[in-house]
Amino acid sequence: MLAIRSAKASDLEQLNDLMYQLHDEHHQQAPDSFKTAEEIEQEKSIARYLDNPECLVFVAIKDETVVGFITGHFCELISTVSKPVQMGSVDELYVLPDCRKQKVAQRLYQALETRFEEYGVKQVFVEVWNFNQSACEFYFDSGFNHHIHWLRKNIEQ
């Protein structure tokens, strides 16, 4: 049985392990773009989300083990060219490989979106690297669409 709930301090060790795996997968898929998981681990901890009232962390629990997590935050997006909007951001989403294709990510995302709605969020944003086609498909299937295109061109020889 899978349960989705807000993360607790007692989840921190398992969350750090999953965060490491997330960053390791990104580094393996795009080593020219991503730091190693070891480097990121020195700079970034999921603990900062648990301590910040504007941040949210939900975990998927199966047999008392954290098998996935999602992090996000909310704020007012203010720009010189667009109207202000209460926004939520999906920052990280990770599910253990053995638990993928079981709707764990969908359940985690739905918990985050529901909380965003409770807080008055009007739009949700997510940044996904183009190489991560499974994540792109997940977000499109969840109702996201293109908003801003960030294009990149290497000019190094």
Side-chain angles (χ1 to χ4, degrees), residues 24-147:
D24 189 53
E25 281 187 29
H26 282 159
H27 177 73
Q28 297 300 323
Q29 292 178 10
D32 292 340
S33 297
F34 284 94
K35 295 178 182 179
T36 66
E38 291 85 2
E39 291 171 316
I40 295 170
E41 188 175 49
Q42 299 302 314
E43 300 172 14
K44 182 178 181 180
S45 170
I46 200 166
R48 68 184 167 88
Y49 277 87
L50 297 178
D51 296 335
N52 187 333
E54 294 179 354
C55 294
L56 301 166
V57 182
F58 289 95
V59 292
I61 306 291
K62 187 175 186 180
D63 300 325
E64 299 183 30
T65 300
V66 177
V67 298
F69 74 94
I70 191 168
T71 64
H73 71 277
F74 56 93
C75 65
E76 184 173 36
L77 178 64
I78 299 173
S79 163
T80 56
V81 295
S82 60
K83 295 180 180 181
V85 63
Q86 290 298 321
M87 66 158 281
S89 174
V90 178
D91 298 329
E92 284 108 1
L93 172 59
Y94 185 75
V95 175
L96 287 172
D98 290 349
C99 296
R100 293 178 186 167
K101 308 284 187 209
Q102 299 175 27
K103 306 243 183 254
V104 176
Q106 288 89 339
R107 291 191 54 199
L108 285 164
Y109 174 72
Q110 192 54 57
L112 182 67
E113 184 176 289
T114 297
R115 187 65 54 86
F116 281 157
E117 288 176 21
E118 292 168 359
Y119 289 158
V121 165
K122 302 297 182 201
Q123 294 181 9
V124 181
F125 295 84
V126 65
E127 185 178 302
V128 181
W129 287 70
N130 195 50
F131 72 81
N132 195 345
Q133 285 302 299
S134 62
C136 290
E137 289 174 23
F138 167 77
Y139 287 111
F140 288 135
D141 290 347
S142 297
F144 284 77
N145 52 50
H146 286 279
H147 171 67

